[in-house]
Amino acid sequence: MEYKNIDSQHLLVRLDPNEEIVTALMQIAEKEKIGLAMVQGLGAVKKVVMGVYNVPAQHYQANTLEGAFEMLSLTGTIDTMANKPYSHFHITVGDEHGAAHGGHLNEAVISATAEIIITKLSGTIDRRKSIETGLNIWKF
């Protein structure tokens, strides 16, 4: 992994083979003391664990895909929960037949590279667990 602050608000991140996206971005968030940011990216992954949340059951259904996938879109936020870095990312990947698969990102391992832009936002926001949904939501 390499990254560069290109100005006061933007970081460019390159991930390399076998690096895991969520882990890498949380390392950067901690090192750079990022309290609030938007994330967007693309690249190629060989393993992705993503889920869909069942609100009534308050449970994520995880789906694991392994093989050759283009990361069509990585989007989400970096913020905090209990004043520690917290990520909320969604991912869409395309397979060799052109079919797209997506969901809430739990884990994704790079096959070739990833190019990710982190846009830091002013201020901070923390999260709290919602009793109603079971999700960690923004606390205003």
Side-chain angles (χ1 to χ4, degrees):
M1 168 179 64
E2 290 188 51
Y3 71 92
K4 178 179 182 177
N5 284 287
I6 60 168
D7 59 33
S8 63
Q9 291 182 282
H10 299 91
L11 290 89
L12 300 182
V13 180
R14 189 198 70 233
L15 298 182
D16 299 314
N18 300 313
E19 293 184 308
E20 197 283 310
I21 293 172
V22 178
T23 301
L25 294 179
M26 289 300 89
Q27 288 172 349
I28 293 170
E30 188 157 344
K31 183 175 180 183
E32 296 293 324
K33 297 178 177 38
I34 296 172
L36 183 59
M38 296 184 303
V39 173
Q40 61 190 59
L42 48 77
V45 298
K46 62 183 179 181
K47 177 182 178 185
V48 60
V49 181
M50 56 192 160
V52 175
Y53 192 69
N54 180 319
V55 176
Q58 295 191 5
H59 172 74
Y60 271 101
Q61 171 61 48
N63 300 302
T64 301
L65 302 175
E66 294 189 58
F69 299 95
E70 288 291 322
M71 182 169 62
L72 306 174
S73 176
L74 170 69
T75 187
T77 57
I78 296 172
D79 43 54
T80 61
M81 186 162 180
N83 297 309
K84 294 181 182 173
Y86 185 92
S87 66
H88 184 195
F89 303 140
H90 285 200
I91 191 168
T92 305
V93 298
D95 67 21
E96 59 193 13
H97 303 290
H101 310 271
H104 175 86
L105 179 61
N106 298 98
E107 173 187 353
V109 180
I110 302 301
S111 60
T113 191
E115 298 171 353
I116 300 169
I117 300 170
I118 299 173
T119 302
K120 295 187 273 185
L121 302 172
S122 299
T124 60
I125 191 156
D126 211 42
R127 289 182 176 264
R128 66 170 176 84
K129 183 154 189 141
S130 165
I131 295 169
E132 181 180 0
T133 65
L135 294 169
N136 297 326
I137 60 173
W138 281 344
K139 176 174 63 175
F140 292 104

